[in-house]
Amino acid sequence: MAFDDLREFVAHLEKHGQLRRVRARVSRDLEIAEITDRVSKGRSEGNQALLFEQVDGFDVPVLINAFGSPERMAAALGVEHLHDLSARVAKLLDLRMPGSLFDKLRKLGDLFDVAKAGPKRVRSAPCQEVIETDQPSLARLPILRCWPGDAGRYITLPLVFTRDPVTGARNVGMYRLQVHDDRTLGMHWQTHKGSAEHERVAQEQGKPMEVAIALGGDPVSIYSGSAPLPPGIDEMVFAGWLRGAGVPMVACKTIDLEVPAEAEIVLEGFVDPAERRLEGPFGDHTGYYSLARDYPVFHLKAITRRKQPIYPTTIVGRPPQEDYWLGKATERIFLPIIRLLLPEVVDMNMPAEGIFHNLVIVSIKKRYPGQARKVMHALWGLGLMMLAKNIVVVSEHVDVHNLSEVAWRATGNIDPSRDLLIVDGPADDLDHASVRHRFGGKLGVDATEKSDMDGIGQSWPEEIVMSEEIRALVTRRWQEYGL
Ligand SMILES: Cc1cc2nc3c(=O)[nH]c(=O)nc-3n(C[C@H](O)[C@H](O)[C@H](O)COP(=O)(O)O)c2cc1C
């Protein structure tokens, strides 16, 4: 089921016992963050989306943790389980000549889904029920302060819209935005990201760049801002395909950009590439404060919004938190694309502890010497996978989602003098341990089983597995043992 907007999603979550309304008066300064951190790390039954209805000093409710579980993330994207996403993408990528008439019709259906995915331009929009162009101010929004050492308040779940000043190609990214004052924001688009590239083009042209920031909208569009799509793929077309209907988009009031019509709040403005201001520190998903550095500045020209908007947000910090589930959806969506390019890949897992890029576990069907290394190098050359710090490659039969099994294999199946590959390359902006900012070492661990093809100096032993016959016997007699 595709939701039209955030309210429909909220209603769905509430109906299915996945949302709690908090009516107690709370402060946006640290209190909401601490409540959310406890809820997202607590018992899974208590891990629900939270709608804070009475935020001190504001009449705008705050929605948080809406994507913070596998069930809610799947519901947001209109599937029952997150792994269904892999199946959908794999079906689309299956370009073998269809055999039967039924197959041909099914393929036509898949292509039709793509054809109707384009954004739909609309003239009037809920996100423009109220238009504030005279003295617009961020002060009316309940923007959170997340951690005690943060440099200020941060918008954390935005869709940032920019266009390439030369080609006009759209980018949508989810980047944290620091409130410098009531009219300016620090734009933390990291150097490897789409809008940073647009800003570099604007800088070459010596011109300011228009920027729109949408808060809320349908949940698929919100997710799409966090998806690491290549520059040639429009996030809004991708969102339309994923939700099975084009995203309604409306022209902004003061700038030449479009935003999702169903958003709750839209900030219109511009960034001057010649301007930089200190942004951060900010308690980020590494579990540490990212250091203060110079970043671009957004100048607010207008706020458009619904009459009674909901303010969607999230907090990031030591994992697991809500952003882990947004990343899990990305992992499942991108797996079939990686498998198309690297057919030996069976499965992959980016566990919460690895905050996406710090740890990528991948299982492969190994057929020739050096294949695990080939996969590591290929991943390091693939889009934002370039930022992967540690890649552990295991054999096809290993369950990459079972961290206990992976730790067992990854320590027992390696000789460090043979199976570790250390290279260097681009590092994540937030990596506090890399040798220097944005550049550092990477470790590949070949934890596959070895055989003669790997040139080993002793025979590889057989793994201990009980015989099928005895397993069946014990299963059959289990009740008799009184255990
Ligand atoms: C909650 C959340 C916050 C994020 N904050 C940032 C951020 O501050 N800066 C950044 O560059 N990427 C951030 N990301 C990751 C980007 O959204 C992601 O890399 C996305 O692919 C960027 O889009 P782009 O490739 O079109 O630039 C965040 C992701 C999530 C889920």
Side-chain angles (χ1 to χ4, degrees), residues 10 21 61 98 103 127 143 165 216 222 234 311 352 381 399 411 414 419 437:
V10 164
R21 288 177 185 269
D103 285 346
C127 72
I143 302 170
I222 298 177
D234 183 338
Y311 175 74
D399 177 4
T411 49
I414 62 155
D419 297 323
H437 188 214

Side-chain angles (χ1 to χ4, degrees), residues 362-364 366 371-372 393-396 398 409-410 413-414 418-419 445-451 454 460:
V362 54
S363 55
I364 64 163
K366 190 168 89 171
Q371 200 165 358
V393 183
V394 292
S395 301
E396 60 188 295
V398 176
R409 311 265 189 194
N413 279 356
I414 62 155
R418 180 194 55 210
D419 297 323
V445 180
D446 175 0
T448 57
E449 273 93 14
K450 310 299 182 304
S451 66
D454 301 293
W460 195 267

Side-chain angles (χ1 to χ4, degrees), residues 26 70 94 103 116 134 182 193 206 219 239 253 287 300 310 396 446 470:
V26 291
D94 182 5
D103 285 346
K116 64 181 188 202
D134 187 27
D182 292 350
K193 308 300 172 76
K253 290 293 175 190
L300 182 68
I310 297 174
E396 60 188 295
D446 175 0
I470 295 298

Side-chain angles (χ1 to χ4, degrees), residues 473-483:
L473 172 115
V474 170
T475 306
R476 208 169 49 243
R477 296 197 55 203
W478 193 255
Q479 298 291 339
E480 288 178 49
Y481 307 141
L483 297 171

Side-chain angles (χ1 to χ4, degrees), residues 338 342 344-349 358-368 370-380 385 388-400 405-415 418-421 443-450 454 460:
I338 288 176
L342 304 171
E344 60 270 75
V345 168
V346 176
D347 201 358
M348 67 189 272
N349 179 22
N358 278 350
L359 181 56
V360 179
I361 304 163
V362 54
S363 55
I364 64 163
K365 243 182 234 158
K366 190 168 89 171
R367 294 287 183 261
Y368 50 81
Q371 200 165 358
R373 285 166 190 247
K374 173 243 183 178
V375 169
M376 296 168 196
H377 287 298
L379 290 176
W380 283 321
M385 272 288 179
K389 185 150 76 166
N390 298 287
I391 299 180
V392 176
V393 183
V394 292
S395 301
E396 60 188 295
H397 54 86
V398 176
D399 177 4
V400 292
E405 179 176 5
V406 171
W408 169 50
R409 311 265 189 194
T411 49
N413 279 356
I414 62 155
D415 178 328
R418 180 194 55 210
D419 297 323
L420 302 187
L421 173 65
L443 175 66
V445 180
D446 175 0
T448 57
E449 273 93 14
K450 310 299 182 304
D454 301 293
W460 195 267

Side-chain angles (χ1 to χ4, degrees), residues 91-102:
K91 212 168 118 214
L92 181 70
L93 295 178
D94 182 5
L95 291 180
R96 281 172 303 180
M97 199 58 196
S100 66
L101 181 65
F102 176 75

Side-chain angles (χ1 to χ4, degrees), residues 155-158 160 170-177 187-196 223-231 233 235 279 282 284-285 295 314-316 322-324 326-327 330 356 384 387 428-430:
I155 295 176
T156 50
L157 204 68
V160 176
R170 172 170 35 218
N171 186 66
V172 189
M174 183 173 284
Y175 315 118
R176 76 186 199 212
L177 312 171
M187 307 299 283
H188 192 268
W189 49 53
Q190 296 160 3
T191 195
H192 313 105
K193 308 300 172 76
S195 295
Y223 158 73
S224 299
S226 75
L229 299 172
I233 299 185
E235 281 84 356
E279 192 268 4
F282 175 69
D284 217 312
H285 71 152
Y295 274 90
T314 188
I315 54 159
V316 290
E322 185 172 6
D323 62 326
Y324 169 62
L326 289 157
T330 293
F356 312 140
L384 284 184
L387 304 176
D428 191 89
D429 242 78
L430 302 179

